[in-house]
Amino acid sequence: MWKWLHPYAKPERAYQLCVTLQPYFLWPGILCLLVGSLWGLAFAPQDYQQGDSFRIIYIHVPSAILSMSTYVAMAVAALVGIVWQWRTAFMAMIAMAPVGAVITFIALFTGAAWGKPMWGTWWVWDARLTSELILLFLYLGVIALYGAFEDKQQAGKAAGVMALVGVVNVPIIHYSVEWWNTLHQGATISKFDKPSIAPEMLWPLLIALLGLALFIAAVTVMRMKNEIIRREYHRPWVKDLAARALGDDHAV
Amino acid sequence: MQFDSLQAFFAMGGYALYVWLSFGVSLLALVWVVADSASAHKKLLRNAREEQARQSRIAAARKAQTVQSESEQTGS
């Protein structure tokens, strides 16, 4: 059943797949981000309590949701790498970590810039904010641990274990607003009930969410290509690739 | 459009600092991560090519050396 998947464990095939996928993720992603942001900034109605400051939601909520989804995706890649010994799975893991860290940073930063006018403070050490900060540290920890090993298979295993252990933080972030008293409001969209938001505010939010998800996929694919080249440095196909990409002027 | 004028749009109902700070920093962060990935790609390809050129130079020099020593041996 899963036989069709096996050739993609081979680095050259995986690289070709990344090249094929990249434009389909990148350009629709950028387009959706632009449409979602502009719609949210200029055309969505004002919030009756928060005025125009609520428009930060169009970057804050997508980045917060996806900071967690990206972490789960990274941990799944780590699990595949550890269980089936796929080298390419560890490459996918480390390709996702930096963009996940950037998205987590965006969630934290926009949260602070939203908290200042609404709560009167940039930062409080409450459950939601602290657990999201820990998520950023987990991403940075995975990157640092991976970088600390010369042998990248070892590095993948060590960082993979850390990524897997860190998964426990994801439900803590999600339920933090229910388990503890917090300044942060409860879930608006990511709950099983009907979303408690007007549709004309929700649509641009969903488009921005889709756009950011595609953007993260695009960056993951870009970095995946880099990881493959880094590991296949001495292979002839990388040489051909370099000659084609950089022009043949220095070819040997 | 929810705003009467472009000025009102940029003023964001008095929340201009927070809204534009959020969107500005987010944009910068996203641009940075793409630029970093793209420049790393270029650099890796360049390094790979230099490394392989170096390896083939070493191999050629070794071959030349063995050919030379072999001819010296047959000559003596």
Side-chain angles (χ1 to χ4, degrees), chain A residues 37-181:
Chain A
S37 306
L38 268 179
W39 189 347
L41 278 171
F43 298 99
Q46 241 183 24
D47 186 75
Y48 79 102
Q49 272 184 326
Q50 302 195 356
D52 286 318
S53 79
F54 103 99
R55 296 181 193 282
I56 295 173
I57 201 175
Y58 293 108
I59 195 77
H60 178 70
V61 166
S63 60
I65 291 175
L66 289 168
S67 69
M68 291 186 274
S69 325
T70 306
Y71 193 90
V72 172
M74 184 178 82
V76 169
L79 185 72
V80 171
I82 288 169
V83 173
W84 286 285
Q85 304 286 319
W86 272 27
R87 296 193 320 142
T88 37
F90 286 135
M91 295 182 203
M93 175 192 79
I94 203 60
M96 276 184 260
V99 63
V102 165
I103 298 301
T104 311
F105 164 76
I106 290 175
L108 286 166
F109 188 89
T110 55
W114 198 359
K116 183 61 185 165
M118 289 301 111
W119 301 341
T121 176
W122 296 96
W123 184 261
V124 280
W125 290 102
D126 86 341
R128 175 53 73 85
L129 281 69
T130 309
S131 54
E132 183 76 10
L133 184 65
I134 290 172
L135 188 75
L136 178 63
F137 292 155
L138 282 168
Y139 275 121
L140 297 180
V142 167
I143 297 167
L145 197 55
Y146 189 85
F149 286 83
E150 197 63 39
D151 173 5
K152 288 306 171 200
Q153 193 63 14
Q154 287 289 325
K157 276 186 204 161
V161 169
M162 181 168 182
L164 281 177
V165 172
V167 168
V168 72
N169 192 37
V170 172
I172 292 177
I173 297 173
H174 186 78
Y175 289 108
S176 57
V177 285
E178 292 174 25
W179 292 345
W180 291 285
N181 280 321

Side-chain angles (χ1 to χ4, degrees), chain A residues 42 44 223 226 233 235 239, chain B residues 2 12 36-37 41 47 52:
Chain A
R223 300 195 82 96
N226 290 355
Y233 229 56
R235 297 290 170 85
K239 188 181 168 183
Chain B
Q2 286 293 316
M12 275 289 150
D36 177 71
S37 312
H41 185 71
N47 285 351
Q52 293 199 349

Side-chain angles (χ1 to χ4, degrees), chain A residues 25 29 33 62 66 70 207-220:
Chain A
F25 289 146
L33 274 177
L66 289 168
T70 306
I207 291 170
L209 182 67
L210 175 69
L212 195 60
L214 288 169
F215 180 89
I216 292 169
V219 176
T220 301

Side-chain angles (χ1 to χ4, degrees), chain B residues 57-74:
Chain B
R57 274 201 307 276
I58 291 172
R62 276 227 184 93
K63 206 175 162 195
Q65 210 169 28
T66 40
V67 167
Q68 200 181 15
S69 63
E70 270 169 9
S71 63
E72 275 168 16
Q73 275 171 0
T74 48

